[in-house]
Amino acid sequence: MLYRHLNTSLAAFVSHSTGLRRLCFLFVVLGAFSLTISAQAVRSAPVARLVSEPGRELSHTRARRVLAIETTTSTAGAVGSPSIKGATTIELRAFDRTNEERAKDGLPPLVWDSELCRMARIHSENMGRLGFFAHETPEGMRLKERARSMGILRFRVIAENIAYNKGYADPGAFAVERWMISAGHRANILYIGFQASAIGSYVSKDGSVYLTQVFINR
């Protein structure tokens, strides 16, 4: 009787152990499968950065380094002063969206300024080529100094928004969207005193988009 009971218990234990081994194996397989799915789901996330330079004097903004895209000297100085018909799709989208936001606030539209476009394109290209992201260049030139170096000598107020993004289908519109939820950028866009503006963009080889938006009251 005792022998039969031991045999029955042993058989049950073996059966139970086999079930446990099968269950453990199943968990291992499922775990590995889950890890594989998780790894496959990882994608490069879009990135974006913003900085504003209001017309009034604020604390000094130092240049912040970003990954250098190219190390050659900028050739942006050769860029002309394009009319709005010569604006790129990115520039035109950002400009139109800016005026749409002003219209929502009951403000008159900004007029496209060719000189500002040239200045903005040069700054965007310099940021992309030289690997910095700020209103101040690595040489120490700030907004007003850059304007005067471009021959823009007379103005009452001048201000600037900059943006960097990568991985967005509509980088111009996206930049304005992000500017509008940032107090400093929004203030520049909705300042009633500005009469003219322009956007200058630069797209690096890796798809990074640099945008510079300049406002002026002459």
Side-chain angles (χ1 to χ4, degrees), residues 1-203:
M1 187 69 163
L2 178 60
Y3 178 79
R4 186 184 309 164
H5 177 70
L6 287 174
N7 279 343
T8 302
S9 299
L10 180 60
F13 176 77
V14 169
S15 176
H16 180 66
S17 298
T18 302
L20 285 176
R21 285 196 299 273
R22 288 176 179 173
L23 184 60
C24 290
F25 176 78
L26 179 61
F27 282 151
V28 169
V29 170
L30 288 176
F33 180 75
S34 176
L35 288 174
T36 302
I37 293 298
S38 297
Q40 291 176 346
V42 174
R43 295 289 185 272
S44 297
V47 295
R49 295 187 183 94
L50 306 172
V51 179
S52 68
E53 178 82 347
R56 58 191 179 279
E57 291 296 326
L58 292 179
S59 59
H60 200 62
T61 303
R62 302 298 301 176
R64 290 184 289 170
R65 302 296 297 181
V66 296
L67 178 64
I69 305 304
E70 300 175 24
T71 57
T72 56
T73 302
S74 174
T75 57
V79 176
S81 301
S83 67
I84 194 166
K85 292 182 179 179
T88 67
T89 300
I90 294 174
E91 293 164 352
L92 192 58
R93 284 286 291 162
F95 185 72
D96 288 344
R97 289 298 296 271
T98 295
N99 275 334
E100 287 173 12
E101 294 297 339
R102 286 177 64 86
K104 291 177 186 177
D105 215 52
L107 297 172
L110 297 167
V111 176
W112 180 270
D113 189 296
S114 297
E115 289 183 313
L116 295 185
C117 180
R118 178 172 180 265
M119 172 184 168
R121 284 184 175 181
I122 288 172
H123 191 62
S124 291
E125 184 172 343
N126 281 337
M127 288 193 293
R129 287 183 177 273
L130 304 179
F132 73 98
F133 183 70
H135 297 282
E136 182 183 351
T137 68
E139 296 80 18
M141 292 183 67
R142 301 188 68 190
L143 174 59
K144 292 181 180 179
E145 295 167 314
R146 288 190 282 110
R148 292 187 177 108
S149 72
M150 294 289 103
I152 304 172
L153 305 176
R154 296 181 180 180
F155 48 84
R156 292 185 177 90
V157 186
I158 189 167
E160 183 178 73
N161 289 339
I162 60 174
Y164 162 87
N165 62 61
K166 181 181 178 182
Y168 293 92
D170 192 347
F174 175 75
V176 176
E177 176 188 323
R178 302 301 295 177
W179 282 333
M180 286 300 294
I181 60 176
S182 167
H185 301 86
R186 181 185 178 91
N188 283 342
I189 289 173
L190 300 182
Y191 178 51
I192 193 171
F194 289 134
Q195 304 161 335
S197 179
I199 315 290
S201 64
Y202 176 74
V203 182

